[in-house]
């Protein structure tokens, strides 16, 4: 375990918050983690403990007073097939998009829609990342974790992970107990493309029309997804951000009807209010739309702002933003969506 004291976290969070931690501990293998905890050396480190990936879904609100752990377990390897499924294992510290690229290059369908999501494989398993109609849970088979209670590596089967919308057991009842060390993904040879989200199908068709006779491959869909993302979302390497700042709210259908009536009274009876059926009488409303309706799209103030092409993303526009500025903007947006739409936005980004 490599341990550093009074360490800057600026390079470890895509928002680019210039905060530090008392202690930073990096490791390269699951065995190193087990050995470290088994030896009791963790008792020498300041608490609380926090485990991060590439910090692409969190907001440090201040200096972190304890120890930040970070995994450098990076590998992708093929496993023997099981029940007719092609399986791979990837280390928790592997860049998620490298996994998507590997799958696309090897002709595996299932990870291509998740291309370009910032972060690492371990965080993907905790967060159940999702985009363009696909979710991590669709391709995971099991998650290998360091269990801080038993001080050993254990396997958590997909069903035990209790995946939901950007949610899992690792964020709920097992929070703080497990550290993901690797994930096993499985792919069905019969799987095919998933194009039924937004403009994906139309964009894929445009590409395919330009290369008649060529079969559609995961590589082609991946490149379309990367283009769509690139045109909508800011690159954290250029503009600090943590992707969607808020979750898309899920509300009872009658409540959605009220919001829709409000919009139609404003824009006319045929106005298409964006929404997705969430089952059991519930409807998901895009938070991006709610934020835009409340007038925040493209808003900027000091060092922070609301991204013009996707208002669900808050940005560190100058690279010099302090956590307080992001928090103040979050508060204003939440209050206005509450006032105007009667909906409480919940942050997707974890506040530390
Ligand atoms: N919209 C607007 N105004 C805008 C942009 C979007 O009104 O300026 C409305 C449109 O009606 C659009 C709808 O919002 O159809 C949905 O927009 P989009 O397809 O961009 O997706 P999203 O719901 O805003 C979610 C994920 C993203 C993921 C995209 C694409 C959440 C919180 N966010 O965003 O994930 O990339 O779908 O699948 O679920 C992330 O989690 O960090 C993230 C970027």
């Amino acid at each position: 375990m490599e341990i550093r004291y009074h360490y800057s976290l600026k390079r470890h969070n895509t928002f680019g918050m210039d905060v530090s931690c008392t202690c930073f501990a990096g490791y390269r293998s699951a065995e190193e983690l087990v050995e470290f905890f088994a030896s009791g050396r963790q008792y020498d480190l300041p608490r609380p403990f926090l485990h991060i990936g590439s910090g692409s879904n969190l907001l440090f609100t201040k200096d972190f007073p304890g120890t930040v752990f970070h995994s450098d377990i990076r590998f992708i390897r093929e496993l023997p097939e099981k029940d007719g499924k092609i399986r791979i294992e990837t280390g928790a510290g592997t860049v998620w998009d490298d996994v998507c690229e590997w799958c696309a290059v090897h002709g595996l369908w299932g990870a291509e829609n998740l291309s370009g999501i910032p972060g690492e494989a371990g965080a993907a398993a905790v967060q159940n990342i999702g985009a363009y109609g696909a979710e991590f849970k669709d391709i995971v088979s099991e998650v290998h974790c360091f269990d801080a209670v038993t001080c050993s590596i254990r396997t958590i089967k997909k069903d035990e992970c209790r995946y939901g919308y950007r949610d899992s057991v690792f964020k709920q009842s097992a929070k703080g107990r497990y550290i993901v060390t690797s994930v096993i993904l499985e792919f069905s040879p019969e799987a095919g493309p998933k194009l039924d989200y937004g403009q994906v199908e139309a964009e894929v068709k445009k590409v395919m029309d330009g290369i008649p006779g060529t079969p559609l491959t995961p590589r082609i869909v991946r490149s379309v997804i990367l283009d769509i993302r690139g045109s909508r979302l800011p690159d954290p390497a250029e503009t600090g951000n943590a992707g969607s700042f808020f979750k898309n709210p899920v509300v009872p259908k009658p409540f959605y009807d009220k919001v829709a009536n409000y919009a139609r009274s404003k824009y006319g009876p045929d106005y298409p209010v964006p929404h997705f059926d969430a089952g059991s009488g519930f409807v998901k409303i895009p938070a991006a739309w709610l934020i835009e309706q409340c007038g925040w799209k493209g808003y900027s103030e000091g060092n922070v702002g609301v991204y013009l092409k996707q208002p669900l993303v808050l940005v560190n526009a100058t690279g010099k933003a302090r956590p307080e500025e992001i928090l103040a903007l979050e508060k204003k947006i939440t209050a206005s969506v509450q006032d105007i739409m009667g909906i409480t936005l919940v942050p997707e980004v974890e506040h530390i």
Side-chain angles (χ1 to χ4, degrees):
M1 191 82 72
E2 191 181 343
I3 307 219
R4 294 170 198 169
Y5 289 88
H6 305 292
Y7 183 79
S8 168
L9 293 168
K10 193 167 163 69
R11 284 186 314 111
H12 291 277
N13 71 103
T14 59
F15 243 133
M17 293 296 111
D18 194 5
V19 294
S20 64
C21 57
T22 308
C23 188
F24 188 86
Y27 57 92
R28 290 176 196 282
S29 69
E31 294 72 29
E32 201 183 331
L33 197 57
V34 173
E35 193 261 327
F36 183 82
F37 277 84
S39 70
R41 273 177 284 163
Q42 72 276 23
Y43 297 113
D44 299 334
L45 300 179
R47 299 216 174 218
F49 289 172
L50 169 72
H51 201 290
I52 62 166
S54 56
S56 58
N57 197 50
L58 46 82
L59 172 64
F60 283 110
T61 58
K62 53 183 182 302
D63 287 339
F64 187 74
T67 302
V68 172
F69 287 86
H70 182 254
S71 162
D72 281 316
I73 309 177
R74 295 200 187 104
F75 66 86
I76 301 175
R77 65 182 179 111
E78 280 178 80
L79 298 177
E81 278 188 26
K82 197 173 160 191
D83 303 328
K85 298 267 178 73
I86 300 151
R87 298 188 312 143
I88 67 167
E89 179 176 16
T90 179
T94 311
V95 171
W96 174 253
D97 190 55
D98 290 351
V99 180
C100 298
E101 184 180 29
W102 194 99
C103 296
V105 167
H106 288 77
L108 305 177
W109 286 108
E112 64 285 351
N113 290 24
L114 303 175
S115 293
I117 297 182
E120 296 167 359
V126 171
Q127 174 74 357
N128 186 26
I129 55 170
Y132 306 103
E135 280 183 299
F136 176 83
K137 74 171 168 56
D138 306 333
I139 50 173
V140 68
S141 141
E142 54 195 48
V143 178
H144 295 178
C145 298
F146 169 74
D147 181 344
V149 171
T150 59
C151 217
S152 61
I153 301 296
R154 68 166 281 195
T155 298
I156 318 271
K157 297 272 180 215
K158 175 186 181 155
D159 290 350
E160 298 170 79
C161 294
R162 290 197 228 125
Y163 282 123
Y165 172 52
R166 299 294 193 276
D167 199 18
S168 73
V169 74
F170 309 110
K171 290 178 80 174
Q172 302 293 339
S173 56
K175 194 172 171 150
R177 172 167 180 179
Y178 298 127
I179 294 174
V180 178
T181 53
S182 72
V183 299
I184 312 284
L185 306 178
E186 62 177 19
F187 302 87
S188 166
E190 293 89 45
K194 232 183 187 178
L195 307 178
D196 54 352
Y197 182 97
Q199 84 218 80
V200 177
E201 188 158 18
E203 293 297 322
V204 166
K205 186 171 180 306
K206 267 193 228 163
V207 172
M208 297 311 284
D209 286 349
I211 44 171
T214 312
L216 183 59
T217 62
R219 268 177 120 151
I220 296 175
V221 176
R222 167 175 162 79
S223 80
V224 167
I225 295 287
L226 288 175
D227 283 349
I228 296 176
R229 286 188 76 89
S231 67
R232 291 268 184 91
L233 297 165
D235 179 354
E238 285 161 22
T239 308
N241 76 91
S244 302
F245 195 91
F246 299 99
K247 289 189 184 184
N248 286 325
V250 176
V251 299
K253 172 87 171 52
F255 195 93
Y256 160 75
D257 291 336
K258 270 213 269 181
V259 172
N261 287 339
Y262 164 80
R264 289 183 188 127
S265 68
K266 216 167 142 190
Y267 303 113
D270 299 328
Y271 179 79
V273 181
H275 64 284
F276 306 92
D277 183 12
S280 317
F282 284 84
V283 175
K284 190 186 263 189
I285 308 180
W289 180 80
L290 293 168
I291 295 168
E292 181 174 350
Q293 290 306 308
C294 295
W296 292 101
K297 188 167 169 152
Y299 177 84
S300 85
E301 183 180 281
N303 295 305
V304 298
V306 178
Y307 196 57
L308 186 60
K309 295 181 205 161
Q310 170 46 292
L312 193 48
V313 179
L314 304 191
V315 292
N316 176 357
T318 61
K320 294 181 189 143
R322 299 289 313 153
E324 308 81 76
E325 291 178 273
I326 305 271
L327 290 171
L329 181 58
E330 172 189 2
K331 211 169 157 188
K332 283 188 196 172
I333 294 172
T334 310
S336 99
V337 172
Q338 180 74 59
D339 277 0
I340 299 170
M341 299 290 187
I343 292 179
T344 310
L345 289 182
V346 174
E348 201 227 312
V349 166
E350 192 178 353
H351 292 46
I352 310 285

